[in-house]
Amino acid sequence: LIDTLRPALEVRRCPPPLSGGILALLIAGCNRRRKDRTHRFHVTVRLRRGLNAPVGLQYEPMEEFMHIAGHVLEHSVADTLYLVPFLFVTYLVMEWLEHKTGGKAQAAVQRAGAAGPIVGAVVGVVPQCGFSAVAATLWAGRVITLGTLFAVFLSTSDEMLPIFIAEQVPLDVILKILGAKIVVGMVMGFIVDAGMRLARRIDAPLHIHDLCERDHCHCHDGEGGILKSALKHTLQVTVFIFVITIVLNGVLEVVGEDALGEFLSANPVLPVFGSALVGLVPNCAASVVIAQLYVSGVLGSGAMLAGLLVSAGVGLLVLVRTNRHWKQNVAIIVGLYAMGVFWGLIANALGIVF
């Protein structure tokens, strides 16, 4: 039985019990959508006592559940921990602006606002979604403009770059895609800020103090200073992200990332709209699936661009957690989706091939 299974699966023999009767096997099947994730399930092979002849397989749901739970927990911790330094530094800077600079910070933000989309679009392409989380936090405190937030979200590459490198995508293709995301982020960022200026809402005051009041962290009671305040905010947001990430990873572990791929590949008429919808999933699985389907030829350039423009990762979770105005959050998410679809359709109409 082991020799039969070995060509297709990784099989590891567990030490047989002293009493005999059951030989446990751990069988691991790799998820083809993401090579670093392995799905495990347990079966037991019943042996005739004395003859060592297998007579059947028995499914053990509890052992499978424990392995799935451990797998979900492992990746949820990994997906959350790398954000902690980004969040802590961001809150530390915000607390410093609030406590040390006073009105000077507001004036500096207004002067730098015009260049915000340029800086945001450039830093957004850094792999992972740490800077999208930073941008969401800064915008919730109105330290950056709304256009800068969109620039970061649109240029965020999340897991795209590691997947392309692993799949040996030509360097010129990678640079073209990254360049397109940067340009789109800058253009849309400037357009959003221009619209806000016309509406005379670009110079909204800093809301850092409001964040403290909503979180009941007592940052302004004079105890602990800005370091303690930054730690409190970081812990609160990290716990929120961790809980939501566990739920998302649990769903993806049970349903499988292949389900996202099947949804996109089964939608030949509207792939741009479907890819952008998948991109809104606040988890790295979205960018992984979109990048893999593009490499395999299932998605065209327009659908790929739409999905990866929208893939802001956990930045969307941080936005929902830190900005309590749900109508604003919905408008931002809908706007992000519309921008991704628009540029995906433009790429198809112009016949752009990376």
mmCIF file of all heavy atoms in Angstrom, residues 21 33-34 38 51 87 95 109 127 145 155 181 183 197 213 218 236-237 247 278 280 307 329 339:
data_model
loop_
_atom_site.group_PDB
_atom_site.id
_atom_site.type_symbol
_atom_site.label_atom_id
_atom_site.label_comp_id
_atom_site.label_asym_id
_atom_site.label_seq_id
_atom_site.Cartn_x
_atom_site.Cartn_y
_atom_site.Cartn_z
ATOM 1 N N GLY A 21 -1.985 -4.383 15.671
ATOM 2 C CA GLY A 21 -3.357 -4.251 15.227
ATOM 3 C C GLY A 21 -3.576 -3.066 14.303
ATOM 4 O O GLY A 21 -4.354 -3.144 13.379
ATOM 5 N N ARG A 33 -1.487 25.220 -5.711
ATOM 6 C CA ARG A 33 -1.592 26.665 -5.867
ATOM 7 C C ARG A 33 -0.553 27.390 -5.036
ATOM 8 O O ARG A 33 -0.161 28.491 -5.346
ATOM 9 C CB ARG A 33 -2.995 27.123 -5.444
ATOM 10 C CG ARG A 33 -4.093 26.609 -6.346
ATOM 11 C CD ARG A 33 -3.955 27.146 -7.737
ATOM 12 N NE ARG A 33 -5.003 26.641 -8.603
ATOM 13 C CZ ARG A 33 -4.977 26.688 -9.903
ATOM 14 N NH1 ARG A 33 -3.939 27.182 -10.521
ATOM 15 N NH2 ARG A 33 -5.973 26.237 -10.616
ATOM 16 N N ARG A 34 -0.153 26.780 -3.934
ATOM 17 C CA ARG A 34 0.865 27.440 -3.128
ATOM 18 C C ARG A 34 1.787 26.377 -2.564
ATOM 19 O O ARG A 34 1.399 25.547 -1.737
ATOM 20 C CB ARG A 34 0.219 28.242 -2.001
ATOM 21 C CG ARG A 34 1.245 29.117 -1.302
ATOM 22 C CD ARG A 34 0.588 30.078 -0.365
ATOM 23 N NE ARG A 34 1.604 30.949 0.225
ATOM 24 C CZ ARG A 34 1.353 31.818 1.188
ATOM 25 N NH1 ARG A 34 0.145 31.944 1.664
ATOM 26 N NH2 ARG A 34 2.315 32.564 1.661
ATOM 27 N N THR A 38 0.967 22.752 2.835
ATOM 28 C CA THR A 38 0.748 21.329 2.680
ATOM 29 C C THR A 38 -0.496 20.920 3.445
ATOM 30 O O THR A 38 -0.623 21.216 4.624
ATOM 31 C CB THR A 38 1.953 20.524 3.208
ATOM 32 O OG1 THR A 38 3.114 20.939 2.507
ATOM 33 C CG2 THR A 38 1.741 19.047 3.007
ATOM 34 N N LEU A 51 -0.392 -11.654 10.479
ATOM 35 C CA LEU A 51 -0.169 -11.764 9.039
ATOM 36 C C LEU A 51 0.358 -10.475 8.422
ATOM 37 O O LEU A 51 0.879 -10.493 7.317
ATOM 38 C CB LEU A 51 -1.483 -12.148 8.338
ATOM 39 C CG LEU A 51 -2.058 -13.518 8.719
ATOM 40 C CD1 LEU A 51 -3.369 -13.752 7.968
ATOM 41 C CD2 LEU A 51 -1.065 -14.632 8.399
ATOM 42 N N LEU A 87 3.205 48.260 12.136
ATOM 43 C CA LEU A 87 2.172 48.940 12.914
ATOM 44 C C LEU A 87 2.770 49.731 14.067
ATOM 45 O O LEU A 87 2.364 50.864 14.340
ATOM 46 C CB LEU A 87 1.168 47.911 13.449
ATOM 47 C CG LEU A 87 0.293 47.211 12.396
ATOM 48 C CD1 LEU A 87 -0.518 46.100 13.041
ATOM 49 C CD2 LEU A 87 -0.620 48.205 11.706
ATOM 50 N N GLU A 95 1.942 59.070 17.293
ATOM 51 C CA GLU A 95 1.915 59.599 18.656
ATOM 52 C C GLU A 95 2.912 60.758 18.798
ATOM 53 O O GLU A 95 2.626 61.754 19.476
ATOM 54 C CB GLU A 95 2.263 58.489 19.656
ATOM 55 C CG GLU A 95 1.199 57.425 19.802
ATOM 56 C CD GLU A 95 -0.071 57.978 20.404
ATOM 57 O OE1 GLU A 95 -0.006 58.973 21.160
ATOM 58 O OE2 GLU A 95 -1.156 57.433 20.109
ATOM 59 N N VAL A 109 1.880 68.144 6.844
ATOM 60 C CA VAL A 109 1.105 67.175 6.076
ATOM 61 C C VAL A 109 0.455 67.839 4.876
ATOM 62 O O VAL A 109 0.429 67.296 3.765
ATOM 63 C CB VAL A 109 0.046 66.507 6.978
ATOM 64 C CG1 VAL A 109 -0.935 65.685 6.145
ATOM 65 C CG2 VAL A 109 0.725 65.611 8.000
ATOM 66 N N PRO A 127 7.327 43.889 -1.655
ATOM 67 C CA PRO A 127 6.579 42.646 -1.414
ATOM 68 C C PRO A 127 5.929 42.614 -0.034
ATOM 69 O O PRO A 127 6.392 43.236 0.900
ATOM 70 C CB PRO A 127 7.662 41.565 -1.551
ATOM 71 C CG PRO A 127 8.681 42.172 -2.451
ATOM 72 C CD PRO A 127 8.693 43.636 -2.126
ATOM 73 N N THR A 145 -3.162 61.775 2.705
ATOM 74 C CA THR A 145 -4.387 62.069 1.969
ATOM 75 C C THR A 145 -5.050 60.785 1.474
ATOM 76 O O THR A 145 -4.425 59.718 1.431
ATOM 77 C CB THR A 145 -4.092 62.967 0.762
ATOM 78 O OG1 THR A 145 -3.257 62.239 -0.168
ATOM 79 C CG2 THR A 145 -3.379 64.239 1.194
ATOM 80 N N SER A 155 -0.818 49.942 -5.762
ATOM 81 C CA SER A 155 0.526 49.466 -6.120
ATOM 82 C C SER A 155 0.997 48.309 -5.251
ATOM 83 O O SER A 155 2.029 47.695 -5.543
ATOM 84 C CB SER A 155 1.541 50.610 -6.013
ATOM 85 O OG SER A 155 1.693 51.029 -4.669
ATOM 86 N N LYS A 181 1.636 49.112 -12.193
ATOM 87 C CA LYS A 181 0.974 49.322 -10.905
ATOM 88 C C LYS A 181 1.380 50.660 -10.286
ATOM 89 O O LYS A 181 0.554 51.359 -9.689
ATOM 90 C CB LYS A 181 1.312 48.163 -9.959
ATOM 91 C CG LYS A 181 0.583 46.865 -10.303
ATOM 92 C CD LYS A 181 1.100 45.693 -9.475
ATOM 93 C CE LYS A 181 0.815 45.859 -7.998
ATOM 94 N NZ LYS A 181 -0.643 45.839 -7.697
ATOM 95 N N VAL A 183 2.426 53.396 -11.936
ATOM 96 C CA VAL A 183 1.834 54.481 -12.722
ATOM 97 C C VAL A 183 0.343 54.618 -12.422
ATOM 98 O O VAL A 183 -0.170 55.732 -12.214
ATOM 99 C CB VAL A 183 2.065 54.239 -14.220
ATOM 100 C CG1 VAL A 183 1.262 55.237 -15.056
ATOM 101 C CG2 VAL A 183 3.548 54.346 -14.553
ATOM 102 N N ARG A 197 -9.911 68.090 -3.388
ATOM 103 C CA ARG A 197 -9.653 69.533 -3.315
ATOM 104 C C ARG A 197 -10.824 70.326 -3.884
ATOM 105 O O ARG A 197 -11.207 71.373 -3.343
ATOM 106 C CB ARG A 197 -8.372 69.880 -4.063
ATOM 107 C CG ARG A 197 -7.103 69.465 -3.336
ATOM 108 C CD ARG A 197 -5.864 70.062 -3.989
ATOM 109 N NE ARG A 197 -4.670 69.667 -3.254
ATOM 110 C CZ ARG A 197 -3.960 68.595 -3.510
ATOM 111 N NH1 ARG A 197 -4.318 67.784 -4.513
ATOM 112 N NH2 ARG A 197 -2.892 68.301 -2.802
ATOM 113 N N GLU A 213 -9.350 57.938 21.443
ATOM 114 C CA GLU A 213 -10.621 57.944 22.168
ATOM 115 C C GLU A 213 -11.471 56.730 21.804
ATOM 116 O O GLU A 213 -12.116 56.130 22.673
ATOM 117 C CB GLU A 213 -11.388 59.230 21.857
ATOM 118 C CG GLU A 213 -10.755 60.482 22.467
ATOM 119 C CD GLU A 213 -11.577 61.727 22.199
ATOM 120 O OE1 GLU A 213 -12.489 61.648 21.333
ATOM 121 O OE2 GLU A 213 -11.330 62.754 22.849
ATOM 122 N N HIS A 218 -6.495 55.646 26.710
ATOM 123 C CA HIS A 218 -6.050 56.656 27.679
ATOM 124 C C HIS A 218 -4.636 57.137 27.374
ATOM 125 O O HIS A 218 -3.778 57.254 28.244
ATOM 126 C CB HIS A 218 -6.106 56.089 29.103
ATOM 127 C CG HIS A 218 -7.444 55.518 29.451
ATOM 128 N ND1 HIS A 218 -8.568 56.294 29.624
ATOM 129 C CD2 HIS A 218 -7.849 54.228 29.631
ATOM 130 C CE1 HIS A 218 -9.607 55.525 29.931
ATOM 131 N NE2 HIS A 218 -9.197 54.270 29.930
ATOM 132 N N GLN A 236 -3.881 46.139 19.971
ATOM 133 C CA GLN A 236 -5.309 46.075 19.648
ATOM 134 C C GLN A 236 -5.535 45.729 18.176
ATOM 135 O O GLN A 236 -6.361 44.862 17.849
ATOM 136 C CB GLN A 236 -5.973 47.412 19.993
ATOM 137 C CG GLN A 236 -6.065 47.679 21.485
ATOM 138 C CD GLN A 236 -6.506 49.104 21.797
ATOM 139 O OE1 GLN A 236 -6.400 49.998 20.966
ATOM 140 N NE2 GLN A 236 -6.982 49.317 23.009
ATOM 141 N N VAL A 237 -4.801 46.375 17.291
ATOM 142 C CA VAL A 237 -4.976 46.118 15.865
ATOM 143 C C VAL A 237 -4.456 44.731 15.501
ATOM 144 O O VAL A 237 -5.064 44.020 14.683
ATOM 145 C CB VAL A 237 -4.260 47.202 15.034
ATOM 146 C CG1 VAL A 237 -4.356 46.891 13.544
ATOM 147 C CG2 VAL A 237 -4.870 48.565 15.320
ATOM 148 N N VAL A 247 -9.935 33.161 10.692
ATOM 149 C CA VAL A 247 -11.195 32.814 10.029
ATOM 150 C C VAL A 247 -10.975 32.632 8.525
ATOM 151 O O VAL A 247 -11.424 31.637 7.927
ATOM 152 C CB VAL A 247 -12.255 33.902 10.293
ATOM 153 C CG1 VAL A 247 -13.520 33.615 9.481
ATOM 154 C CG2 VAL A 247 -12.580 33.977 11.775
ATOM 155 N N VAL A 278 -11.968 38.696 -6.578
ATOM 156 C CA VAL A 278 -11.076 37.835 -5.798
ATOM 157 C C VAL A 278 -9.979 38.664 -5.136
ATOM 158 O O VAL A 278 -9.578 38.404 -4.007
ATOM 159 C CB VAL A 278 -10.464 36.737 -6.696
ATOM 160 C CG1 VAL A 278 -9.360 35.981 -5.964
ATOM 161 C CG2 VAL A 278 -11.545 35.770 -7.152
ATOM 162 N N LEU A 280 -10.141 41.433 -3.776
ATOM 163 C CA LEU A 280 -10.608 42.094 -2.564
ATOM 164 C C LEU A 280 -10.491 41.223 -1.324
ATOM 165 O O LEU A 280 -10.633 41.720 -0.208
ATOM 166 C CB LEU A 280 -12.069 42.535 -2.730
ATOM 167 C CG LEU A 280 -12.335 43.734 -3.635
ATOM 168 C CD1 LEU A 280 -13.825 44.008 -3.721
ATOM 169 C CD2 LEU A 280 -11.592 44.972 -3.137
ATOM 170 N N GLY A 307 -7.023 42.234 -10.926
ATOM 171 C CA GLY A 307 -6.959 41.542 -9.639
ATOM 172 C C GLY A 307 -5.812 42.003 -8.771
ATOM 173 O O GLY A 307 -5.979 42.191 -7.555
ATOM 174 N N ASN A 329 -15.443 53.523 4.568
ATOM 175 C CA ASN A 329 -14.753 52.271 4.241
ATOM 176 C C ASN A 329 -15.385 51.586 3.036
ATOM 177 O O ASN A 329 -14.685 51.091 2.144
ATOM 178 C CB ASN A 329 -14.771 51.333 5.446
ATOM 179 C CG ASN A 329 -14.000 51.885 6.628
ATOM 180 O OD1 ASN A 329 -13.097 52.709 6.462
ATOM 181 N ND2 ASN A 329 -14.342 51.453 7.823
ATOM 182 N N MET A 339 -11.716 50.962 -9.751
ATOM 183 C CA MET A 339 -10.455 51.339 -10.390
ATOM 184 C C MET A 339 -9.760 50.122 -10.994
ATOM 185 O O MET A 339 -9.232 50.185 -12.122
ATOM 186 C CB MET A 339 -9.533 52.015 -9.375
ATOM 187 C CG MET A 339 -10.002 53.363 -8.899
ATOM 188 S SD MET A 339 -8.919 54.035 -7.611
ATOM 189 C CE MET A 339 -9.862 55.479 -7.097
#
